[in-house]
Amino acid sequence: RPRPPFPMSCFGSSPKDHVVVKAGSVTQVGFLHTQSDTPNQDNGVIFEKPNKSNPALSYILACVFDGHGDFGHDASKLAGDQVRGVVEKTLDENPEADLTDTLKAATKALNDEMEKQSYANSAGCTGTMVLLRGRTVVCANVGDSTCIVVSKNQKKFSIRYRTVDHRLDDDKERERIEAAGGIIYENYVVDKVEQNKGLMVTRTFGDCDMRQNGVTDQPDYMSLDLTDDDKAIVIASDGLWDAEGYGFSKCLFTTAKNIKKSPGAIAQELLNSVLHDGPSDDCTVVVLTLH
């Protein structure tokens, strides 16, 4: 069911240090989960915190968590709650705190809390988190919920940045799993003990029993200074990116074609582009438009 776009927010106190951000999202249960009466295991998070005394310190947090396993929906909810809570607490106490350090503290707290959950041995989630303040955006990612930054130079749109998915088709990830003694079968990391169990992603929050197989819970981090050419940030679960015939070029085309619409409408158009009879996997899209 579509989620309404968040109201426009202005970050910064002068044209040189602020961007105008609108945020919106949409989510839909995949038909495979509909058939098995499984809840939506995705969790999209948009959290906006204005700073009235110093608008340059206002920030927005946008995330997508994609759960898997019987309790994947619990894992993705826990992830969203933990990351939002730590980010808010950290930036409330120190509004000028380093954004990368803030996300590192949030993911550490998440991993510590996840290890306490009884379901976390056999369930987990991916996570892609974007934290924006002023003109600085920091992204942390685990797994394959991809983030892209869409830019426009003159009349040409392009993808300025995208996260690298943590899967076996990435050579560095494959080498890391092999170095840890992990078992690889086709596109899966297979559990050494329960060899009927495996994961397509090589990094997750949760799935604690897969640590012995080289699967880690440590994110990659990226920091980027936004320019006037940057027009949108798109974060989506693999229900979008893995759809048959889909790819980054189609996402770029759809985003560019609808860039003047609200972010919620852009997110819906991206979802529509893979709908057909409905996405096979749960699909969540979060869009930030930058002005």
Side-chain angles (χ1 to χ4, degrees):
R1 181 176 298 176
R3 297 174 181 172
F6 278 56
M8 181 173 69
S9 298
C10 180
F11 298 103
S13 55
S14 74
K16 291 184 179 180
D17 66 3
H18 83 266
V19 291
V20 175
V21 181
K22 295 180 181 179
S25 67
V26 64
T27 189
Q28 181 164 326
V29 180
F31 67 75
L32 293 179
H33 281 175
T34 301
Q35 292 175 346
S36 60
D37 200 27
T38 301
N40 190 338
Q41 295 190 313
D42 284 1
N43 182 19
V45 175
I46 299 174
F47 177 65
E48 186 177 5
K49 194 70 176 283
N51 187 316
K52 294 181 180 179
S53 62
N54 187 350
L57 297 178
S58 299
Y59 67 87
I60 187 167
L61 172 70
C63 315
V64 170
F65 302 98
D66 179 2
H68 49 260
D70 289 343
F71 295 91
H73 53 291
D74 291 318
S76 63
K77 183 181 185 305
L78 175 67
D81 292 345
Q82 282 290 307
V83 170
R84 172 181 167 166
V86 173
V87 167
E88 183 178 19
K89 183 175 185 295
T90 300
L91 295 180
D92 278 354
E93 293 175 353
N94 179 11
E96 298 184 35
D98 181 83
L99 297 186
T100 300
D101 289 344
T102 299
L103 280 184
K104 285 182 177 180
T107 55
K108 182 183 185 304
L110 167 56
N111 286 329
D112 291 345
E113 189 64 28
M114 192 72 78
E115 289 180 359
K116 301 175 184 178
Q117 309 305 312
S118 59
Y119 60 73
N121 276 335
S122 57
C125 66
T126 69
T128 297
M129 298 140 280
V130 169
L131 185 56
L132 191 160
R133 183 184 63 201
R135 284 190 174 270
T136 300
V137 60
V138 172
C139 179
N141 72 295
V142 162
D144 57 4
S145 294
T146 311
C147 170
I148 66 171
V149 177
V150 176
S151 298
K152 181 183 181 183
N153 189 300
Q154 295 180 343
K155 294 185 178 181
K156 184 178 181 180
F157 283 87
S158 63
I159 295 176
R160 180 183 175 198
Y161 166 81
R162 73 175 178 89
T163 52
V164 176
D165 291 344
H166 298 134
R167 287 183 173 184
L168 290 169
D169 53 7
D170 180 82
D171 291 341
K172 290 183 179 179
E173 289 299 293
R174 177 177 284 270
E175 290 169 4
R176 186 177 56 75
I177 294 295
E178 291 175 340
I183 300 173
I184 296 174
Y185 177 73
E186 294 183 349
N187 295 321
Y188 291 86
V189 182
V190 180
D191 190 357
K192 296 175 183 177
V193 179
E194 299 181 53
Q195 295 191 8
N196 63 337
K197 180 171 62 178
L199 288 172
M200 288 188 69
V201 288
T202 54
R203 303 190 195 195
T204 72
F205 297 123
D207 298 293
C208 300
D209 58 349
M210 293 296 286
R211 300 289 172 257
Q212 63 183 338
N213 304 294
V215 176
T216 180
D217 56 11
Q218 297 305 301
D220 282 335
Y221 298 90
M222 175 281 303
S223 180
L224 192 70
D225 291 327
L226 296 173
T227 72
D228 291 342
D229 290 341
D230 298 319
K231 302 303 180 186
I233 298 173
V234 178
I235 317 165
S237 59
D238 64 346
L240 180 74
W241 310 110
D242 285 355
E244 185 176 355
Y246 204 79
F248 294 109
S249 59
K250 188 170 183 179
C251 176
L252 177 63
F253 173 80
T254 303
T255 303
K257 180 180 178 182
N258 297 282
I259 198 64
K260 294 183 179 180
K261 296 182 179 180
S262 71
I266 296 172
Q268 185 64 59
E269 291 291 348
L270 288 167
L271 179 61
N272 291 345
S273 66
V274 299
L275 274 179
H276 306 300
D277 297 323
S280 59
D281 194 6
D282 299 338
C283 186
T284 298
V285 185
V286 174
V287 175
L288 305 180
T289 53
L290 314 170
H291 307 273

